[in-house]
Amino acid sequence: GLAELVLHNCKTSVDIGTFEVVDKLVDLDTYLSTLIESGIRRFAIDLEWGAGLKLRTIQLAWKGKRAIVINVSDPGLIPTEIGSNWDRTVTILSKHLGRTDITLVGHNARGDIKVLRKFGLDLMSQFVKGGFDTMLGYHLVPGNETLDKKLELVAIRMLGVDRYDYPLRCWLKENGYSDDKLETLLYGFVPNEILHPYGAGDALCT
């Protein structure tokens, strides 16, 4: 993704379809345990939100072009098991992602991680110690200073991926989302079948 391109000048292909969805606590714990046991220590992280900074999803991607979408709430901000048991979710995520040997990368990652810390999930050291912010890195590439920093546009420009955001943009248009409405509601009512591939695409491109 972008982190490999900016840090190592290594352009990788991105398969937007390679992701799984988890909305049960036991599945989340098992899935992350398996990843850690397999040696994965570096993750890209991304979040999707509804109104009032209510989480819809947390996305993680890792080497091998794989991703997981952690479904916190369904359309209308209806909590899943993971969202309804947030304290237990934080415990699971902290156990696996809060390890000292984990590093996180993200697009405007510091902002997302600051919000997660307010929700009880503190992953700041995993970002600060060896992590990377692709938005800041993109800004440092000569000629990019004045270009739009939105992740999907950066990915299209730098990685040559398809418009994986197209189904989302179509849904927003068909449902009368003006810029003001989107700013208010964010992605709180977007159907899972549209939001999850989009969120996974964000993490995979990071």
Side-chain angles (χ1 to χ4, degrees), residues 155-176:
I156 292 163
R157 192 177 299 126
M158 299 291 288
L159 299 177
V161 300
D162 292 334
R163 288 297 301 258
Y164 66 89
D165 65 326
Y166 185 72
L168 173 64
R169 301 303 161 202
C170 287
W171 186 91
L172 294 173
K173 182 177 181 181
E174 291 168 0
N175 287 272

Side-chain angles (χ1 to χ4, degrees), residues 42-160:
R42 186 175 179 88
F43 294 91
I45 187 169
D46 186 67
L47 313 174
E48 307 302 339
W49 302 94
L53 282 183
K54 292 184 178 179
L55 267 175
R56 283 292 310 272
T57 58
I58 302 171
Q59 299 84 242
L60 300 170
W62 55 93
K63 187 176 181 180
K65 298 181 290 184
R66 299 288 304 280
I68 180 176
V69 175
I70 303 169
N71 189 29
V72 180
S73 61
D74 287 327
L77 301 177
I78 300 170
T80 63
E81 180 182 299
I82 285 175
S84 297
N85 298 275
W86 183 247
D87 287 346
R88 291 174 62 190
T89 299
V90 167
T91 298
I92 293 170
L93 292 174
S94 296
K95 178 175 70 172
H96 298 297
L97 300 181
R99 295 165 49 114
T100 57
D101 57 349
I102 297 293
T103 58
L104 297 175
V105 302
H107 201 73
N108 190 29
R110 184 180 293 271
D112 284 344
I113 289 172
K114 281 184 176 180
V115 176
L116 286 178
R117 185 161 59 177
K118 292 181 180 179
F119 292 162
L121 180 59
D122 190 352
L123 301 174
M124 185 60 75
S125 64
Q126 284 68 31
F127 169 67
V128 173
K129 297 177 182 178
F132 185 72
D133 192 319
T134 55
M135 187 172 75
L136 296 179
Y138 177 76
H139 183 74
L140 294 175
V141 176
N144 289 347
E145 297 88 350
T146 60
L147 297 178
D148 196 313
K149 309 301 188 298
K150 193 170 180 62
L151 176 54
E152 57 264 34
L153 299 181
V154 173
I156 292 163
R157 192 177 299 126
M158 299 291 288
L159 299 177

